[in-house]
Amino acid sequence: MHIVDSERVKEELRHGRRTGRVHGAYLLEGPQGTGKRATALWFARLLLCRGDADDPCEACPDCTRSQSRDGVSQHADLMIIEPDGAEILVGQIREMQSRLG
């Protein structure tokens, strides 16, 4: 999905959650500063949220733990990986695999 109108993209993601048709992976693309990271984090938090609203409730334990603090989530099911420079490095993927295993 190309991030131009983040509300339109969010509505598509909300629809997936409402209908139980969430895909296994999403690719958010667009120029720097268009909200890709914020939208991805919002969607991850929406999926983790125990509420049934169209946005993270911000009150349940999963919402509280999934809030990003300096790029780090306290939620066991949410890992934030940032590119090191222009790309994600093999070492970052290996660390993720290790934590998942």
Side-chain angles (χ1 to χ4, degrees):
M1 287 181 220
H2 188 75
I3 303 292
V4 174
D5 179 3
S6 65
E7 279 308 310
R8 183 183 62 79
V9 171
K10 283 183 175 181
E11 187 50 44
E12 288 182 37
L13 297 171
R14 285 180 185 112
H15 179 73
R17 181 182 188 233
R18 276 193 302 262
T19 61
R21 293 182 163 193
V22 176
H23 300 290
Y26 290 87
L27 175 63
L28 304 177
E29 62 176 352
Q32 186 173 352
T34 55
K36 300 177 298 292
R37 183 185 192 286
T39 301
L41 184 57
W42 170 87
F43 186 49
R45 295 185 69 230
L46 178 65
L47 294 176
L48 292 168
C49 180
R50 296 180 189 184
D52 59 1
D54 281 345
D55 288 299
C57 73
E58 306 296 342
C60 72
D62 288 310
C63 280
T64 302
R65 285 191 303 265
S66 66
Q67 291 176 353
S68 175
R69 292 173 188 84
D70 299 323
V72 177
S73 166
Q74 303 303 311
H75 197 288
D77 294 330
L78 178 59
M79 180 184 292
I80 300 170
I81 299 175
E82 296 283 347
D84 185 0
E87 56 193 38
I88 293 175
L89 303 177
V90 172
Q92 291 173 287
I93 300 302
R94 287 188 179 131
E95 178 185 345
M96 178 187 67
Q97 290 172 324
S98 174
R99 285 181 59 186
L100 293 174

mmCIF file of all heavy atoms in Angstrom, residues 38-71:
data_model
loop_
_atom_site.group_PDB
_atom_site.id
_atom_site.type_symbol
_atom_site.label_atom_id
_atom_site.label_comp_id
_atom_site.label_asym_id
_atom_site.label_seq_id
_atom_site.Cartn_x
_atom_site.Cartn_y
_atom_site.Cartn_z
ATOM 1 N N ALA A 38 4.304 5.167 11.503
ATOM 2 C CA ALA A 38 3.195 5.425 12.422
ATOM 3 C C ALA A 38 1.985 4.556 12.080
ATOM 4 O O ALA A 38 1.322 4.022 12.969
ATOM 5 C CB ALA A 38 2.812 6.901 12.393
ATOM 6 N N THR A 39 1.712 4.396 10.799
ATOM 7 C CA THR A 39 0.582 3.565 10.377
ATOM 8 C C THR A 39 0.832 2.101 10.709
ATOM 9 O O THR A 39 -0.060 1.397 11.185
ATOM 10 C CB THR A 39 0.309 3.748 8.868
ATOM 11 O OG1 THR A 39 0.015 5.124 8.617
ATOM 12 C CG2 THR A 39 -0.851 2.891 8.413
ATOM 13 N N ALA A 40 2.047 1.613 10.480
ATOM 14 C CA ALA A 40 2.376 0.219 10.791
ATOM 15 C C ALA A 40 2.255 -0.042 12.292
ATOM 16 O O ALA A 40 1.690 -1.057 12.710
ATOM 17 C CB ALA A 40 3.780 -0.114 10.300
ATOM 18 N N LEU A 41 2.751 0.877 13.114
ATOM 19 C CA LEU A 41 2.662 0.716 14.564
ATOM 20 C C LEU A 41 1.208 0.784 15.017
ATOM 21 O O LEU A 41 0.772 -0.008 15.853
ATOM 22 C CB LEU A 41 3.501 1.774 15.279
ATOM 23 C CG LEU A 41 3.557 1.661 16.796
ATOM 24 C CD1 LEU A 41 4.086 0.299 17.235
ATOM 25 C CD2 LEU A 41 4.424 2.768 17.369
ATOM 26 N N TRP A 42 0.438 1.699 14.455
ATOM 27 C CA TRP A 42 -0.981 1.797 14.777
ATOM 28 C C TRP A 42 -1.690 0.480 14.469
ATOM 29 O O TRP A 42 -2.474 -0.022 15.280
ATOM 30 C CB TRP A 42 -1.604 2.955 13.994
ATOM 31 C CG TRP A 42 -3.094 2.994 14.079
ATOM 32 C CD1 TRP A 42 -3.847 3.612 15.041
ATOM 33 C CD2 TRP A 42 -4.016 2.367 13.184
ATOM 34 N NE1 TRP A 42 -5.182 3.391 14.784
ATOM 35 C CE2 TRP A 42 -5.309 2.644 13.651
ATOM 36 C CE3 TRP A 42 -3.871 1.603 12.022
ATOM 37 C CZ2 TRP A 42 -6.450 2.184 13.010
ATOM 38 C CZ3 TRP A 42 -5.008 1.140 11.388
ATOM 39 C CH2 TRP A 42 -6.283 1.430 11.876
ATOM 40 N N PHE A 43 -1.402 -0.108 13.301
ATOM 41 C CA PHE A 43 -2.066 -1.346 12.897
ATOM 42 C C PHE A 43 -1.662 -2.513 13.797
ATOM 43 O O PHE A 43 -2.502 -3.310 14.215
ATOM 44 C CB PHE A 43 -1.762 -1.657 11.432
ATOM 45 C CG PHE A 43 -2.521 -2.840 10.898
ATOM 46 C CD1 PHE A 43 -3.878 -2.965 11.080
ATOM 47 C CD2 PHE A 43 -1.860 -3.827 10.195
ATOM 48 C CE1 PHE A 43 -4.579 -4.053 10.582
ATOM 49 C CE2 PHE A 43 -2.551 -4.921 9.687
ATOM 50 C CZ PHE A 43 -3.910 -5.032 9.888
ATOM 51 N N ALA A 44 -0.392 -2.595 14.130
ATOM 52 C CA ALA A 44 0.061 -3.655 15.034
ATOM 53 C C ALA A 44 -0.655 -3.535 16.374
ATOM 54 O O ALA A 44 -1.119 -4.527 16.944
ATOM 55 C CB ALA A 44 1.574 -3.579 15.227
ATOM 56 N N ARG A 45 -0.752 -2.332 16.870
ATOM 57 C CA ARG A 45 -1.434 -2.109 18.148
ATOM 58 C C ARG A 45 -2.921 -2.406 18.040
ATOM 59 O O ARG A 45 -3.529 -2.939 18.970
ATOM 60 C CB ARG A 45 -1.189 -0.681 18.625
ATOM 61 C CG ARG A 45 0.302 -0.452 18.935
ATOM 62 C CD ARG A 45 0.597 0.904 19.513
ATOM 63 N NE ARG A 45 0.019 0.931 20.842
ATOM 64 C CZ ARG A 45 -0.767 1.915 21.279
ATOM 65 N NH1 ARG A 45 -1.050 2.942 20.523
ATOM 66 N NH2 ARG A 45 -1.256 1.887 22.501
ATOM 67 N N LEU A 46 -3.528 -2.105 16.894
ATOM 68 C CA LEU A 46 -4.937 -2.429 16.691
ATOM 69 C C LEU A 46 -5.154 -3.939 16.747
ATOM 70 O O LEU A 46 -6.103 -4.421 17.353
ATOM 71 C CB LEU A 46 -5.422 -1.870 15.348
ATOM 72 C CG LEU A 46 -6.877 -2.182 14.974
ATOM 73 C CD1 LEU A 46 -7.838 -1.508 15.956
ATOM 74 C CD2 LEU A 46 -7.158 -1.745 13.542
ATOM 75 N N LEU A 47 -4.251 -4.683 16.135
ATOM 76 C CA LEU A 47 -4.374 -6.140 16.131
ATOM 77 C C LEU A 47 -4.174 -6.733 17.530
ATOM 78 O O LEU A 47 -4.782 -7.749 17.866
ATOM 79 C CB LEU A 47 -3.381 -6.758 15.155
ATOM 80 C CG LEU A 47 -3.623 -6.448 13.684
ATOM 81 C CD1 LEU A 47 -2.514 -7.037 12.832
ATOM 82 C CD2 LEU A 47 -4.984 -6.947 13.227
ATOM 83 N N LEU A 48 -3.341 -6.105 18.325
ATOM 84 C CA LEU A 48 -3.086 -6.595 19.682
ATOM 85 C C LEU A 48 -4.171 -6.181 20.679
ATOM 86 O O LEU A 48 -4.372 -6.858 21.683
ATOM 87 C CB LEU A 48 -1.734 -6.082 20.179
ATOM 88 C CG LEU A 48 -0.505 -6.637 19.473
ATOM 89 C CD1 LEU A 48 0.733 -5.830 19.860
ATOM 90 C CD2 LEU A 48 -0.320 -8.107 19.779
ATOM 91 N N CYS A 49 -4.875 -5.103 20.382
ATOM 92 C CA CYS A 49 -5.861 -4.535 21.310
ATOM 93 C C CYS A 49 -6.978 -5.537 21.603
ATOM 94 O O CYS A 49 -7.476 -6.219 20.720
ATOM 95 C CB CYS A 49 -6.453 -3.261 20.701
ATOM 96 S SG CYS A 49 -7.678 -2.466 21.767
ATOM 97 N N ARG A 50 -7.373 -5.584 22.865
ATOM 98 C CA ARG A 50 -8.456 -6.480 23.288
ATOM 99 C C ARG A 50 -9.834 -5.879 23.051
ATOM 100 O O ARG A 50 -10.843 -6.574 23.142
ATOM 101 C CB ARG A 50 -8.305 -6.807 24.774
ATOM 102 C CG ARG A 50 -7.046 -7.579 25.061
ATOM 103 C CD ARG A 50 -6.934 -7.892 26.529
ATOM 104 N NE ARG A 50 -5.615 -8.443 26.813
ATOM 105 C CZ ARG A 50 -5.251 -8.889 27.988
ATOM 106 N NH1 ARG A 50 -6.099 -8.865 29.000
ATOM 107 N NH2 ARG A 50 -4.044 -9.365 28.175
ATOM 108 N N GLY A 51 -9.879 -4.580 22.776
ATOM 109 C CA GLY A 51 -11.164 -3.928 22.522
ATOM 110 C C GLY A 51 -11.689 -4.278 21.141
ATOM 111 O O GLY A 51 -11.012 -4.916 20.341
ATOM 112 N N ASP A 52 -12.899 -3.843 20.859
ATOM 113 C CA ASP A 52 -13.475 -4.135 19.553
ATOM 114 C C ASP A 52 -13.752 -2.870 18.741
ATOM 115 O O ASP A 52 -14.518 -2.877 17.791
ATOM 116 C CB ASP A 52 -14.754 -4.970 19.695
ATOM 117 C CG ASP A 52 -15.821 -4.272 20.524
ATOM 118 O OD1 ASP A 52 -15.595 -3.140 20.984
ATOM 119 O OD2 ASP A 52 -16.898 -4.875 20.703
ATOM 120 N N ALA A 53 -13.113 -1.775 19.133
ATOM 121 C CA ALA A 53 -13.280 -0.516 18.417
ATOM 122 C C ALA A 53 -12.405 -0.503 17.166
ATOM 123 O O ALA A 53 -11.624 -1.418 16.921
ATOM 124 C CB ALA A 53 -12.919 0.653 19.336
ATOM 125 N N ASP A 54 -12.555 0.546 16.375
ATOM 126 C CA ASP A 54 -11.790 0.676 15.132
ATOM 127 C C ASP A 54 -10.427 1.316 15.321
ATOM 128 O O ASP A 54 -9.729 1.587 14.348
ATOM 129 C CB ASP A 54 -12.587 1.481 14.105
ATOM 130 C CG ASP A 54 -13.658 0.641 13.432
ATOM 131 O OD1 ASP A 54 -13.612 -0.603 13.542
ATOM 132 O OD2 ASP A 54 -14.543 1.222 12.781
ATOM 133 N N ASP A 55 -10.054 1.581 16.549
ATOM 134 C CA ASP A 55 -8.740 2.118 16.879
ATOM 135 C C ASP A 55 -8.292 1.451 18.177
ATOM 136 O O ASP A 55 -9.123 0.976 18.945
ATOM 137 C CB ASP A 55 -8.795 3.639 17.077
ATOM 138 C CG ASP A 55 -8.992 4.379 15.772
ATOM 139 O OD1 ASP A 55 -8.118 4.253 14.889
ATOM 140 O OD2 ASP A 55 -10.006 5.082 15.630
ATOM 141 N N PRO A 56 -6.984 1.407 18.438
ATOM 142 C CA PRO A 56 -6.536 0.858 19.721
ATOM 143 C C PRO A 56 -7.205 1.616 20.863
ATOM 144 O O PRO A 56 -7.317 2.847 20.828
ATOM 145 C CB PRO A 56 -5.025 1.092 19.704
ATOM 146 C CG PRO A 56 -4.671 1.190 18.255
ATOM 147 C CD PRO A 56 -5.861 1.823 17.586
ATOM 148 N N CYS A 57 -7.669 0.886 21.879
ATOM 149 C CA CYS A 57 -8.424 1.516 22.970
ATOM 150 C C CYS A 57 -7.542 2.357 23.884
ATOM 151 O O CYS A 57 -8.040 3.218 24.595
ATOM 152 C CB CYS A 57 -9.169 0.462 23.775
ATOM 153 S SG CYS A 57 -8.104 -0.561 24.843
ATOM 154 N N GLU A 58 -6.247 2.077 23.901
ATOM 155 C CA GLU A 58 -5.274 2.787 24.745
ATOM 156 C C GLU A 58 -5.439 2.483 26.230
ATOM 157 O O GLU A 58 -4.754 3.066 27.055
ATOM 158 C CB GLU A 58 -5.319 4.305 24.524
ATOM 159 C CG GLU A 58 -5.173 4.754 23.091
ATOM 160 C CD GLU A 58 -3.832 4.412 22.465
ATOM 161 O OE1 GLU A 58 -2.868 4.135 23.190
ATOM 162 O OE2 GLU A 58 -3.756 4.420 21.224
ATOM 163 N N ALA A 59 -6.359 1.589 26.602
ATOM 164 C CA ALA A 59 -6.606 1.321 28.014
ATOM 165 C C ALA A 59 -6.319 -0.118 28.422
ATOM 166 O O ALA A 59 -5.966 -0.358 29.571
ATOM 167 C CB ALA A 59 -8.061 1.661 28.347
ATOM 168 N N CYS A 60 -6.467 -1.061 27.517
ATOM 169 C CA CYS A 60 -6.266 -2.463 27.879
ATOM 170 C C CYS A 60 -4.772 -2.741 28.097
ATOM 171 O O CYS A 60 -3.923 -1.967 27.657
ATOM 172 C CB CYS A 60 -6.839 -3.394 26.803
ATOM 173 S SG CYS A 60 -5.908 -3.468 25.261
ATOM 174 N N PRO A 61 -4.451 -3.827 28.776
ATOM 175 C CA PRO A 61 -3.038 -4.146 29.035
ATOM 176 C C PRO A 61 -2.207 -4.270 27.745
ATOM 177 O O PRO A 61 -1.047 -3.857 27.716
ATOM 178 C CB PRO A 61 -3.095 -5.481 29.764
ATOM 179 C CG PRO A 61 -4.441 -5.515 30.396
ATOM 180 C CD PRO A 61 -5.350 -4.777 29.451
ATOM 181 N N ASP A 62 -2.805 -4.807 26.668
ATOM 182 C CA ASP A 62 -2.049 -4.938 25.428
ATOM 183 C C ASP A 62 -1.746 -3.580 24.800
ATOM 184 O O ASP A 62 -0.661 -3.378 24.261
ATOM 185 C CB ASP A 62 -2.803 -5.836 24.437
ATOM 186 C CG ASP A 62 -2.776 -7.289 24.871
ATOM 187 O OD1 ASP A 62 -1.671 -7.786 25.181
ATOM 188 O OD2 ASP A 62 -3.843 -7.921 24.934
ATOM 189 N N CYS A 63 -2.680 -2.665 24.853
ATOM 190 C CA CYS A 63 -2.419 -1.314 24.335
ATOM 191 C C CYS A 63 -1.335 -0.621 25.151
ATOM 192 O O CYS A 63 -0.450 0.026 24.604
ATOM 193 C CB CYS A 63 -3.696 -0.477 24.342
ATOM 194 S SG CYS A 63 -4.781 -0.802 22.949
ATOM 195 N N THR A 64 -1.422 -0.768 26.458
ATOM 196 C CA THR A 64 -0.436 -0.131 27.338
ATOM 197 C C THR A 64 0.965 -0.661 27.061
ATOM 198 O O THR A 64 1.910 0.108 26.920
ATOM 199 C CB THR A 64 -0.813 -0.366 28.810
ATOM 200 O OG1 THR A 64 -2.125 0.148 29.031
ATOM 201 C CG2 THR A 64 0.156 0.330 29.731
ATOM 202 N N ARG A 65 1.108 -1.978 26.960
ATOM 203 C CA ARG A 65 2.430 -2.569 26.734
ATOM 204 C C ARG A 65 2.951 -2.343 25.313
ATOM 205 O O ARG A 65 4.155 -2.364 25.092
ATOM 206 C CB ARG A 65 2.399 -4.065 27.035
ATOM 207 C CG ARG A 65 2.358 -4.372 28.510
ATOM 208 C CD ARG A 65 2.602 -5.835 28.793
ATOM 209 N NE ARG A 65 1.674 -6.717 28.123
ATOM 210 C CZ ARG A 65 0.551 -7.209 28.650
ATOM 211 N NH1 ARG A 65 0.208 -6.878 29.869
ATOM 212 N NH2 ARG A 65 -0.211 -8.022 27.962
ATOM 213 N N SER A 66 2.048 -2.162 24.348
ATOM 214 C CA SER A 66 2.502 -2.037 22.957
ATOM 215 C C SER A 66 2.869 -0.614 22.564
ATOM 216 O O SER A 66 3.315 -0.383 21.452
ATOM 217 C CB SER A 66 1.439 -2.584 22.001
ATOM 218 O OG SER A 66 0.268 -1.791 22.040
ATOM 219 N N GLN A 67 2.707 0.343 23.462
ATOM 220 C CA GLN A 67 3.111 1.707 23.146
ATOM 221 C C GLN A 67 4.619 1.756 22.965
ATOM 222 O O GLN A 67 5.360 1.237 23.788
ATOM 223 C CB GLN A 67 2.678 2.673 24.240
ATOM 224 C CG GLN A 67 1.188 2.862 24.292
ATOM 225 C CD GLN A 67 0.760 3.751 25.439
ATOM 226 O OE1 GLN A 67 1.566 4.129 26.292
ATOM 227 N NE2 GLN A 67 -0.507 4.085 25.469
ATOM 228 N N SER A 68 5.061 2.363 21.883
ATOM 229 C CA SER A 68 6.488 2.450 21.586
ATOM 230 C C SER A 68 7.134 3.503 22.476
ATOM 231 O O SER A 68 6.687 4.634 22.539
ATOM 232 C CB SER A 68 6.690 2.817 20.122
ATOM 233 O OG SER A 68 8.045 3.018 19.848
ATOM 234 N N ARG A 69 8.182 3.085 23.164
ATOM 235 C CA ARG A 69 8.972 4.009 23.981
ATOM 236 C C ARG A 69 10.383 4.010 23.417
ATOM 237 O O ARG A 69 11.096 3.024 23.543
ATOM 238 C CB ARG A 69 8.963 3.557 25.438
ATOM 239 C CG ARG A 69 7.602 3.689 26.085
ATOM 240 C CD ARG A 69 7.591 3.068 27.479
ATOM 241 N NE ARG A 69 6.270 3.022 28.036
ATOM 242 C CZ ARG A 69 5.372 2.064 27.790
ATOM 243 N NH1 ARG A 69 5.661 1.076 26.974
ATOM 244 N NH2 ARG A 69 4.173 2.109 28.344
ATOM 245 N N ASP A 70 10.741 5.086 22.757
ATOM 246 C CA ASP A 70 12.063 5.190 22.125
ATOM 247 C C ASP A 70 12.302 4.052 21.139
ATOM 248 O O ASP A 70 13.387 3.490 21.058
ATOM 249 C CB ASP A 70 13.172 5.211 23.187
ATOM 250 C CG ASP A 70 13.049 6.400 24.117
ATOM 251 O OD1 ASP A 70 12.676 7.488 23.636
ATOM 252 O OD2 ASP A 70 13.327 6.251 25.316
ATOM 253 N N GLY A 71 11.255 3.686 20.385
ATOM 254 C CA GLY A 71 11.393 2.644 19.373
ATOM 255 C C GLY A 71 11.357 1.233 19.912
ATOM 256 O O GLY A 71 11.619 0.278 19.204
#
